[in-house]
Amino acid sequence: MNYLQATQEITVAIPEICDDLKKTTIQNSYHIIEFLTDKIKTMIQQNNTSCLFKCLRKMDDLYKDGDKMVKNAIENSFIYSLDSCTAFCTKEYRDLIFNRLSPELQHVYARQIYSHNI
């Protein structure tokens, strides 16, 4: 799936963010992943777990079914920003968020974190 298909899937799966998505110009994979990452950060700050969990599920789906560009955008934008998105969360809330990620995205996160510590 390319970024245009990803944008369409997000529109269908998460109607709560459609209005904001319509106001945004999506030109590539990084734009759509940055948009979804910003929404996830907002949902975390607002403690809106219902929409947050939909967004995390969709991010997992996009990673699983996305083309190379979508996967790279997720790894380099979403995964990279997870720590800053959850920086002010309680440990319990942070654990809840990370446990909602697929094992594959958890692995990508761990690989990225540990590769920076070498």
Side-chain angles (χ1 to χ4, degrees):
M1 149 187 1
N2 63 30
Y3 77 94
L4 295 172
Q5 295 162 319
T7 303
Q8 291 171 341
E9 284 210 9
I10 290 169
T11 306
V12 172
I14 316 164
E16 297 94 321
I17 63 175
C18 285
D19 288 342
D20 292 336
L21 186 56
K22 289 176 186 173
K23 298 174 190 170
T24 304
T25 302
I26 303 297
Q27 298 176 340
N28 59 45
S29 297
Y30 278 87
H31 285 150
I32 191 59
I33 298 307
E34 286 172 1
F35 170 82
L36 191 54
T37 300
D38 287 343
K39 290 296 153 194
I40 288 171
K41 186 174 186 175
T42 300
M43 298 305 148
I44 290 170
Q45 291 169 344
Q46 295 174 348
N47 201 24
N48 183 346
T49 54
S50 173
C51 191
L52 170 63
F53 294 161
K54 285 182 188 179
C55 291
L56 292 174
R57 255 192 317 274
K58 185 45 61 182
M59 193 68 80
D60 286 333
D61 293 344
L62 297 177
Y63 191 75
K64 185 181 79 173
D65 298 330
D67 65 13
K68 184 73 173 159
M69 291 299 294
V70 169
K71 287 183 181 193
N72 283 339
I74 291 170
E75 290 178 8
N76 295 316
S77 186
F78 171 66
I79 295 295
Y80 185 77
S81 69
L82 268 176
D83 281 339
S84 67
C85 289
T86 59
F88 299 105
C89 295
T90 64
K91 180 186 180 331
E92 294 79 16
Y93 192 41
R94 180 179 161 84
D95 289 346
L96 178 68
I97 293 165
F98 277 84
N99 287 333
R100 289 293 179 141
L101 295 176
S102 67
E104 189 172 13
L105 280 182
Q106 290 178 16
H107 176 75
V108 171
Y109 173 80
R111 186 180 68 222
Q112 188 177 88
I113 295 305
Y114 294 123
S115 72
H116 285 105
N117 291 330
I118 297 175

